Amino acid sequence: IGVSATFTPYFDMAIEIAKICKSIFSNVPIVAGGHHATAVPETVLQHEFFDYVIMGEGEERFLKLIAILSQDDLEALKQLDGIAYRSGNEILVNPLEKFIENLNQLPILKIEKDIGMLITSRGCPKNCSFCSISKVMGKNMRFRSIDSVLAEMRTGIEHGVRHFDFEDDNFTINKNHAKGLLQEIIRHFGNHHVTLSAMN
């Protein structure tokens, strides 16, 4: 069972969710992921309700963890980067090393109340002391192709979405890429009464 521990002020909620899950499914591993979990995996695992922490991007790492656990191959955990877990009384943290290079392969559009949530890039080369993005998503900027973003938007529009929110952590870090994307959105969807926001 995966539990998101993204924002530090809400970590108590993640603990409560994990506690409830563990009380119902006592033999099922509970896995924490997200920004808070990535920043302080040892602290997360001090709470008995969490069995594992996935650091950084979870799409591939979570599947690998499931495969390892289903084969009961705990030795393979030592080879999986970006994982924290307990071994006896010791908390082991495998450093985060790898990031998804091809963002076009990620799962598509998340729709919430007729709003499409889009991610067109990941990473940040900056070193701001107040921000965890480079630690979670890496310093290397990676961009989805404009065609893949347009295809995702088209799917959303076909399902009634008229507002799209760009969830990128640094949408305009490459201004030419952002302008190119926005120009193509206007060209393809300018007559669909689509509105856009970039809340980050």
Coordinates of all heavy atoms in Angstrom, one line a residue, residues 133-169:
I133 N 12.9 20.2 -4.5 CA 12.7 19.6 -5.8 C 13.9 19.0 -6.4 O 13.8 17.9 -6.9 CB 12.2 20.7 -6.7 CG1 10.8 21.2 -6.3 CG2 12.1 20.2 -8.2 CD1 9.8 20.2 -6.1
S134 N 15.1 19.6 -6.3 CA 16.3 19.0 -6.9 C 16.6 17.7 -6.2 O 17.2 16.8 -6.9 CB 17.5 19.9 -6.9 OG 17.8 20.3 -5.6
K135 N 16.3 17.6 -4.9 CA 16.6 16.3 -4.2 C 15.6 15.2 -4.6 O 16.0 14.0 -4.7 CB 16.5 16.5 -2.7 CG 16.9 15.4 -1.9 CD 17.1 15.7 -0.4 CE 17.6 14.5 0.3 NZ 17.9 14.8 1.7
V136 N 14.4 15.6 -4.9 CA 13.3 14.6 -5.2 C 13.4 14.3 -6.7 O 13.3 13.1 -7.1 CB 11.9 15.1 -4.8 CG1 10.8 14.2 -5.3 CG2 11.9 15.4 -3.3
M137 N 13.5 15.3 -7.6 CA 13.3 15.1 -9.0 C 14.7 15.2 -9.8 O 14.7 15.1 -11.0 CB 12.4 16.1 -9.6 CG 10.9 15.9 -9.1 SD 10.3 14.3 -9.6 CE 8.7 14.4 -8.9
G138 N 15.7 15.5 -9.1 CA 17.1 15.6 -9.7 C 17.4 17.0 -10.2 O 16.5 17.8 -10.4
K139 N 18.6 17.2 -10.4 CA 19.1 18.5 -10.9 C 19.0 18.6 -12.5 O 18.9 19.7 -13.0 CB 20.5 18.8 -10.5 CG 20.7 19.1 -9.0 CD 22.1 19.4 -8.7 CE 22.2 19.9 -7.2 NZ 21.5 21.1 -7.0
N140 N 19.0 17.5 -13.1 CA 18.9 17.5 -14.6 C 17.5 17.8 -15.1 O 16.6 17.0 -14.8 CB 19.4 16.2 -15.1 CG 19.5 16.1 -16.6 OD1 19.8 17.1 -17.3 ND2 19.2 15.0 -17.2
M141 N 17.3 18.8 -15.8 CA 16.0 19.1 -16.4 C 15.7 18.1 -17.5 O 16.5 17.9 -18.4 CB 15.9 20.6 -17.0 CG 15.9 21.6 -15.9 SD 14.4 21.6 -14.8 CE 13.0 21.6 -15.9
R142 N 14.4 17.6 -17.4 CA 13.9 16.7 -18.4 C 12.6 17.2 -18.9 O 11.8 17.6 -18.1 CB 13.8 15.3 -17.9 CG 15.2 14.6 -17.5 CD 15.1 13.6 -16.4 NE 14.8 14.3 -15.2 CZ 14.0 13.8 -14.2 NH1 13.4 12.6 -14.4 NH2 13.8 14.5 -13.1
F143 N 12.4 17.2 -20.2 CA 11.2 17.7 -20.8 C 10.4 16.7 -21.6 O 11.0 15.9 -22.3 CB 11.5 18.9 -21.7 CG 12.1 20.1 -21.0 CD1 13.5 20.1 -20.9 CD2 11.4 21.0 -20.4 CE1 14.1 21.2 -20.3 CE2 12.0 22.1 -19.7 CZ 13.4 22.2 -19.7
R144 N 9.1 16.7 -21.5 CA 8.3 15.9 -22.4 C 8.2 16.5 -23.7 O 8.4 17.8 -23.8 CB 6.9 15.8 -21.8 CG 6.8 14.9 -20.6 CD 5.3 14.8 -20.1 NE 4.4 14.4 -21.1 CZ 3.1 14.5 -21.0 NH1 2.6 15.1 -20.0 NH2 2.3 14.1 -22.0
S145 N 8.0 15.8 -24.8 CA 7.9 16.3 -26.1 C 6.6 17.1 -26.1 O 5.6 16.8 -25.5 CB 7.9 15.3 -27.2 OG 6.7 14.5 -27.1
I146 N 6.6 18.2 -26.9 CA 5.4 19.0 -27.1 C 4.2 18.1 -27.7 O 3.1 18.3 -27.2 CB 5.7 20.2 -28.0 CG1 6.5 21.2 -27.2 CG2 4.4 20.9 -28.4 CD1 7.0 22.4 -27.9
D147 N 4.5 17.3 -28.6 CA 3.5 16.4 -29.2 C 2.8 15.5 -28.1 O 1.6 15.3 -28.2 CB 4.1 15.5 -30.3 CG 4.4 16.3 -31.6 OD1 3.9 17.4 -31.7 OD2 5.2 15.8 -32.4
S148 N 3.6 15.0 -27.2 CA 3.0 14.1 -26.1 C 2.1 15.0 -25.2 O 1.0 14.5 -24.8 CB 4.1 13.4 -25.3 OG 4.7 14.3 -24.4
V149 N 2.5 16.2 -24.9 CA 1.6 17.1 -24.1 C 0.3 17.4 -24.8 O -0.8 17.3 -24.3 CB 2.3 18.4 -23.7 CG1 1.4 19.3 -22.9 CG2 3.6 18.0 -22.9
L150 N 0.4 17.7 -26.1 CA -0.8 18.0 -26.9 C -1.7 16.8 -27.0 O -2.9 17.0 -26.9 CB -0.4 18.5 -28.3 CG 0.4 19.8 -28.4 CD1 0.8 20.1 -29.9 CD2 -0.4 21.0 -27.9
A151 N -1.1 15.6 -27.2 CA -2.0 14.4 -27.2 C -2.7 14.2 -25.9 O -3.9 13.8 -25.9 CB -1.1 13.2 -27.6
E152 N -2.0 14.5 -24.8 CA -2.6 14.3 -23.5 C -3.8 15.3 -23.3 O -4.8 15.0 -22.8 CB -1.6 14.5 -22.4 CG -2.0 14.2 -21.0 CD -0.9 14.1 -20.0 OE1 0.2 14.3 -20.4 OE2 -1.2 13.9 -18.8
M153 N -3.5 16.6 -23.7 CA -4.6 17.6 -23.6 C -5.8 17.2 -24.5 O -6.9 17.4 -24.1 CB -4.0 18.9 -24.0 CG -3.0 19.5 -23.0 SD -2.4 21.1 -23.5 CE -3.9 22.1 -23.2
R154 N -5.5 16.7 -25.7 CA -6.6 16.3 -26.6 C -7.5 15.2 -25.9 O -8.7 15.3 -26.0 CB -6.0 15.8 -27.9 CG -7.0 15.6 -29.0 CD -6.3 15.3 -30.4 NE -5.6 16.5 -30.8 CZ -4.2 16.5 -30.9 NH1 -3.5 15.5 -30.5 NH2 -3.6 17.6 -31.4
T155 N -6.8 14.3 -25.3 CA -7.6 13.3 -24.5 C -8.4 13.9 -23.5 O -9.6 13.5 -23.3 CB -6.6 12.2 -23.9 OG1 -5.9 11.6 -24.9 CG2 -7.4 11.2 -23.1
G156 N -7.9 14.8 -22.7 CA -8.6 15.5 -21.7 C -9.8 16.3 -22.2 O -10.9 16.2 -21.7
I157 N -9.6 17.0 -23.3 CA -10.7 17.8 -24.0 C -11.8 16.8 -24.4 O -13.0 17.1 -24.2 CB -10.1 18.6 -25.1 CG1 -9.3 19.8 -24.6 CG2 -11.3 19.2 -26.0 CD1 -8.5 20.5 -25.6
E158 N -11.4 15.7 -24.9 CA -12.4 14.7 -25.4 C -13.3 14.2 -24.2 O -14.4 13.7 -24.3 CB -11.8 13.5 -26.1 CG -11.2 13.9 -27.4 CD -10.3 12.8 -28.0 OE1 -10.1 11.7 -27.3 OE2 -9.8 13.0 -29.1
H159 N -12.7 14.3 -23.0 CA -13.4 13.9 -21.7 C -14.0 15.0 -21.0 O -14.3 14.9 -19.8 CB -12.5 13.1 -20.8 CG -12.2 11.7 -21.4 ND1 -11.2 11.4 -22.3 CD2 -12.8 10.5 -21.1 CE1 -11.1 10.1 -22.6 NE2 -12.1 9.6 -21.9
G160 N -14.1 16.2 -21.6 CA -14.8 17.3 -21.0 C -13.9 18.3 -20.3 O -14.4 19.3 -19.7
V161 N -12.6 18.1 -20.3 CA -11.7 19.0 -19.6 C -11.6 20.3 -20.4 O -11.3 20.3 -21.6 CB -10.3 18.4 -19.3 CG1 -9.4 19.4 -18.7 CG2 -10.4 17.2 -18.4
R162 N -11.7 21.5 -19.7 CA -11.5 22.8 -20.3 C -10.5 23.6 -19.6 O -10.2 24.7 -20.0 CB -12.9 23.5 -20.4 CG -13.8 22.9 -21.4 CD -13.3 22.9 -22.9 NE -14.1 22.3 -23.8 CZ -14.1 21.0 -24.2 NH1 -13.3 20.2 -23.6 NH2 -15.0 20.5 -25.1
H163 N -10.0 23.1 -18.5 CA -9.0 23.9 -17.7 C -7.8 22.9 -17.5 O -8.0 21.8 -17.0 CB -9.5 24.4 -16.4 CG -8.4 25.2 -15.7 ND1 -8.1 26.5 -16.0 CD2 -7.6 24.8 -14.7 CE1 -7.1 26.9 -15.2 NE2 -6.7 25.9 -14.4
F164 N -6.6 23.3 -17.8 CA -5.4 22.5 -17.5 C -4.5 23.3 -16.6 O -4.2 24.4 -16.8 CB -4.7 22.2 -18.8 CG -5.5 21.3 -19.7 CD1 -6.4 21.8 -20.7 CD2 -5.4 19.9 -19.6 CE1 -7.1 21.0 -21.5 CE2 -6.1 19.1 -20.5 CZ -7.0 19.6 -21.4
D165 N -4.0 22.6 -15.6 CA -3.0 23.1 -14.6 C -1.7 22.5 -14.8 O -1.6 21.2 -14.7 CB -3.5 22.9 -13.2 CG -2.6 23.5 -12.2 OD1 -2.1 24.7 -12.4 OD2 -2.2 22.9 -11.2
F166 N -0.7 23.2 -15.1 CA 0.7 22.7 -15.3 C 1.3 22.6 -13.9 O 1.5 23.6 -13.2 CB 1.5 23.7 -16.1 CG 1.1 23.7 -17.6 CD1 0.3 24.8 -18.0 CD2 1.4 22.7 -18.5 CE1 -0.1 24.8 -19.3 CE2 1.0 22.8 -19.8 CZ 0.2 23.8 -20.2
E167 N 1.6 21.3 -13.5 CA 2.1 21.0 -12.2 C 3.6 21.0 -12.1 O 4.2 20.6 -11.1 CB 1.6 19.7 -11.7 CG 0.1 19.7 -11.4 CD -0.3 20.4 -10.2 OE1 0.3 20.0 -9.1 OE2 -1.1 21.3 -10.2
D168 N 4.3 21.4 -13.2 CA 5.7 21.5 -13.3 C 6.3 22.3 -12.1 O 5.7 23.3 -11.8 CB 6.2 22.1 -14.6 CG 5.8 21.4 -15.8 OD1 4.6 21.0 -15.9 OD2 6.6 21.2 -16.7
D169 N 7.4 21.9 -11.6 CA 8.0 22.7 -10.5 C 8.7 23.9 -11.0 O 8.9 24.8 -10.2 CB 9.0 21.8 -9.7 CG 8.2 20.7 -9.0 OD1 7.4 21.0 -8.2 OD2 8.5 19.5 -9.3

